[in-house]
Structure formats: structure tokens, C-alpha cells
Amino acid sequence: MSSALLAMSRHLEVRDVLKTIVASARELLDAEYAALGVPDDHGGFAQFVVDGVSDAQWKAIGPLPRQHGILAAMLREAKTERLGDVRKDPRFEGWPSAHPEMSDFLGLPIRDGDEVIGALFLANKKCPKPQGGCGFTMEDEELLTILAQHAAIALTNARLYERSRELTIAEERSRLAHELHDAVSQKLFSLRLTAQAAAALVDRDPSRAKGELQHVAELAAEAADELRAAVVELRPAALDEDGLIATLRTQIQVLDRAHSAHVTFDCGGIRALPAAQEEAMLRVAQEALHNALRHSGAEHVRVTLDKRGPGAVLRVSDDGGGFEPQAVRHAGRHLGLVSMRDRSGGVGGRLTVESEPGKGTTIEMEVPGG
Ligand SMILES: Nc1ncnc2c1ncn2[C@@H]1O[C@H](COP(=O)(O)OP(=O)(O)OP(=O)(O)O)[C@@H](O)[C@H]1O
Ligand SMILES: [Mg+2]
């Protein structure tokens, strides 16, 4: 049981969490089949994970089940179901022809507070069962209840993590919309007026029309610059509202909860930094954290932010596998290290990457302050 729980807490992607839960449930309770469904809002399942069914069998069965029959009852009533023969239950509505035969059934809702966020169920206990009764015992039910409670935590964490990512994206999107509106649409408006003026003048006064057209070209170039600036300087809204330290602290707390690695943050008290430097620091911290959590397999990731002269130093270190910075080919897909370097350079700062295979990684960024 505890190794099942450990395995669960190690996974982050919702689908991996679900797979681990289902496989652990089937193994622990010695069942032939196990499944877990997370309902969507349209009568179907957003996720449906099975264990004990081969890929070929799974394909043959056809589309994902809808929320009907026993599954629907479990989701709706949030009640445990322990049945001797699922096919004899009045709520049973049949299954596709390639569906494996199932008789004894144990199903449990997965709850987050009052909300049912999924259902976990097992079929066909492997050992012999009492005549007419259910092969799954009261003890099985208790075991599955514990598993379902932990599944709820893991699922909620994974959802929290995904939501925080979505939130960041939404924030940036609205910021971009504002900047585009303020800067670029005004430029485009003058551009339109100037072009109209040029059109009106072209027959009457060709040389003035020419001047207006030059103006059109200038305005177009300015609009392009504004657009680029709006995209590049996209500032996360949280930075303006809460400042660098609080923003980092919140983001790190979320990461710590979402990942099995311990992610900590210590701040030695720094002076306020110019906005551009704060933003660059936040971006570098985000990428360095992302890399540590994605590539290093670390148990601990430590982020520190300290004062150095009028400026500040950010350090992100992990105790993971490390890598050879020189060996990273910058062509193609790997943009993180390059962009961290660009961002540091862009605000007059400095980035150092210290890493060695087997020895973990430390990314250090220093900015000059204002
Ligand atoms: N903390 C780390 N621990 C171990 N390996 C790392 C770490 N940071 C980076 N690496 C290695 O360096 C490579 C390059 O990192 P980089 O951030 O440039 O690209 P990426 O993370 O692969 O892709 P991208 O950041 O563009 O999504 C990674 O693919 C990984 O192999
Ligand atoms: Mg990266």
C-alpha cells in the first residue's frame, strides 16, 4: 500500500497519476480488471484509464463509455457499490460486444469535498468467491477507500498545477490584449487617417500626397515596433501587483505541492529592483525551475534571492543528475538556456550555469539594480 502511495505522489501529469492508481488498485485487491473515470461536463469522461485490458482489446471495445448504468449511479449518488454480479443489477445497461465479461464488482467515488471528481472500480476478483456473493470483501472495500482518498489528493494537486499554468497563460493574454489596444491600435488609427489623406491629395497635389505616404510608411514601422515590444515585454500581472518576492514565493509553493521534489525559497531581503530586472529574474527563475523539475530528477530544488551591492543574485540549484552545458546543442528545440542568457544580458545582468553529470545544477543570475 505505501509503495503504491509513494508511486502516486511521484507523478505529476494527471494521466500518469490515474494510471498508477488503477494499476495499484488492481494489484492490491487481486482483481482481473480495474478502471478509473474522471467525468466531463457533457455526459462523457474527460479521462478513462483501464488496467488488465490489452491495447488490442481496448481498441476493439470502441469509444469511451458514457456516464450511464452503474457508473452514472456511482458518480451521481457518490455511493460505494459492491455487487455479486454487475450484470444482474437493475441499473445495468449492457456493454459493447468486445467488452470483457465481468461479474463481481466494487466501485467507489473519488471525492474532493462534496464534489465527485471520479470513480474507481474493480471487476472479477481472482480468488474463488462465495456462491452467489461478491468476491470483494469488506476489507477490500476499506483498502480501496484509502486508495480513493489518496487518489483524490493526487488528482486535486495535479488539477491545481494545471490550473495555475492556465492562469498564468490567461494573465499574459489579457495583458497582451491591453497593450495591443493601447499602443498598436492607436498607431493603426493614425495610419488609416494618413492613408486616406494621401488618397484625397493624390490627384490635386501629388507632392503633398507623396509626403503623406512617407508618413504612412513611418507609422507602419512604428506600429510594427510597438507590436514587437508588446509581445516581448509581456509582463506577468502578478509582478506589478505583488512584486518579485511574493510572486516567486507563490509560484514556488505551487510547484512544491505539485511535484514530488521539495522546492524551497529563501530570500535574504533585497532592495526593490527596476521593473525590467525583476521581470527578467522571474522569467529566468521560471525556466531554471522548469528545467530542474523536468530534466534533473532532483529531490531538492532550492531557490534563493539575495542582495549583492545595489543589485541582487538569484540562485536555483538542484541535487539532480546534472548535465554538460557545453554539450547542449542550441540549434533547434532547446531554447531555455539561450533565452535565460538573453534575458540576463538584456538587463545588464550575468548568468552562470554550473553543472556536471552526477553533481546537480546551479543557475545563478546577477542583476545590477538601479
Ligand atoms: N537542471 C537541469 N538538470 C539536468 N539537465 C538539465 C537541467 N537544465 C537543463 N538541462 C539539460 O539541458 C538541456 C537544454 O535545456 P534548455 O532549457 O535549453 O532546453 P529544454 O529544456 O530541453 O527545452 P525548452 O527549455 O526550450 O523547452 C535540456 O534538454 C537538458 O538535457
Ligand atoms: Mg528548458
Side-chain angles (χ1 to χ4, degrees):
M1 174 65 106
S2 64
S3 68
L5 298 182
L6 205 67
M8 239 184 268
S9 67
R10 214 172 274 145
H11 290 294
L12 178 60
E13 297 291 331
V14 179
R15 205 168 170 82
D16 291 337
V17 177
L18 303 186
K19 274 193 196 145
T20 314
I21 293 167
V22 171
S24 314
R26 188 169 82 95
E27 198 185 310
L28 275 170
L29 278 77
D30 202 24
E32 214 173 332
Y33 305 107
L36 189 159
V38 176
D40 63 18
D41 302 330
H42 323 290
F45 283 93
Q47 308 248 22
F48 201 87
V49 177
V50 295
D51 199 57
V53 177
S54 72
D55 287 349
Q57 254 176 311
W58 177 245
K59 263 204 203 107
I61 296 173
L64 287 184
R66 285 171 297 118
Q67 296 169 29
H68 68 148
I70 310 281
L71 292 190
M74 246 160 51
L75 293 171
R76 199 175 47 236
E77 286 151 33
K79 242 177 51 206
T80 302
E81 299 284 350
R82 193 150 59 91
L83 308 167
D85 190 340
V86 64
R87 294 163 300 187
K88 297 212 175 100
D89 192 277
R91 292 163 299 181
F92 180 68
E93 291 176 31
W95 44 47
S97 57
H99 197 282
E101 279 306 316
M102 292 176 181
S103 58
D104 39 352
F105 178 94
L106 175 61
L108 254 116
I110 299 174
R111 264 192 274 225
D112 177 21
D114 288 338
E115 194 194 351
V116 178
I117 55 176
L120 179 58
F121 41 98
L122 297 164
N124 298 6
K125 180 93 175 171
K126 279 189 195 146
C127 61
K129 62 171 181 166
Q131 195 65 34
C134 181
F136 295 107
T137 61
M138 212 35 221
E139 219 167 69
D140 288 339
E141 191 177 317
E142 278 162 20
L143 217 61
L144 200 61
T145 308
I146 300 175
L147 220 46
Q149 280 162 359
H150 286 269
I153 298 169
L155 263 174
T156 311
N157 275 348
R159 292 209 304 186
L160 209 69
Y161 174 70
E162 285 187 352
R163 207 165 293 160
S164 83
R165 259 198 331 209
E166 282 161 18
L167 269 179
T168 318
I169 293 169
E171 262 173 21
E172 297 203 347
R173 218 174 257 159
S174 86
R175 163 97 14 190
L176 181 60
H178 282 135
E179 296 213 0
L180 287 181
H181 174 263
D182 294 350
V184 183
S185 70
Q186 283 173 24
K187 277 270 140 61
L188 289 176
F189 184 67
S190 353
L191 199 146
R192 225 172 85 203
L193 289 182
T194 317
Q196 278 166 354
L201 284 168
V202 78
D203 292 325
R204 229 175 343 118
D205 191 345
S207 71
R208 263 184 70 199
K210 206 169 158 188
E212 292 295 327
L213 282 172
Q214 252 158 21
H215 196 193
V216 166
E218 280 158 24
L219 285 170
E222 283 171 28
D225 282 347
E226 301 265 15
L227 186 63
R228 201 167 307 124
V231 174
V232 172
E233 284 164 25
L234 215 59
R235 269 172 71 78
L239 214 46
D240 288 332
E241 276 146 37
D242 309 327
L244 177 64
I245 297 171
T247 307
L248 266 177
R249 181 166 291 129
T250 314
Q251 295 193 355
I252 287 165
Q253 269 166 4
V254 172
L255 290 176
D256 185 42
R257 243 180 286 153
H259 290 260
S260 60
H262 293 289
V263 191
T264 59
F265 178 60
D266 293 293
C267 177
I270 56 163
R271 283 195 212 150
L273 297 165
Q277 292 181 27
E278 286 209 337
E279 191 190 333
M281 267 202 161
L282 180 65
R283 299 295 193 193
V284 167
Q286 284 168 336
E287 173 59 24
L289 277 163
H290 191 65
N291 276 351
L293 293 167
R294 193 160 55 133
H295 302 302
S296 81
E299 273 177 44
H300 295 96
V301 182
R302 184 156 186 249
V303 182
T304 59
L305 182 60
D306 294 291
K307 190 163 153 319
R308 184 178 290 173
V313 191
L314 169 85
R315 214 174 274 121
V316 180
S317 19
D318 67 63
D319 59 358
F323 68 110
E324 259 179 82
Q326 267 72 26
V328 176
R329 310 232 343 254
H330 290 311
R333 290 177 299 112
H334 308 295
L335 292 175
L337 289 167
V338 180
S339 97
M340 285 195 282
R341 216 159 247 129
D342 284 353
R343 287 205 185 262
S344 308
V347 295
R350 205 163 42 87
L351 187 90
T352 39
V353 178
E354 218 177 278
S355 186
E356 222 180 290
K359 295 219 169 123
T361 302
T362 299
I363 304 280
E364 190 183 287
M365 178 196 193
E366 182 176 354
V367 294

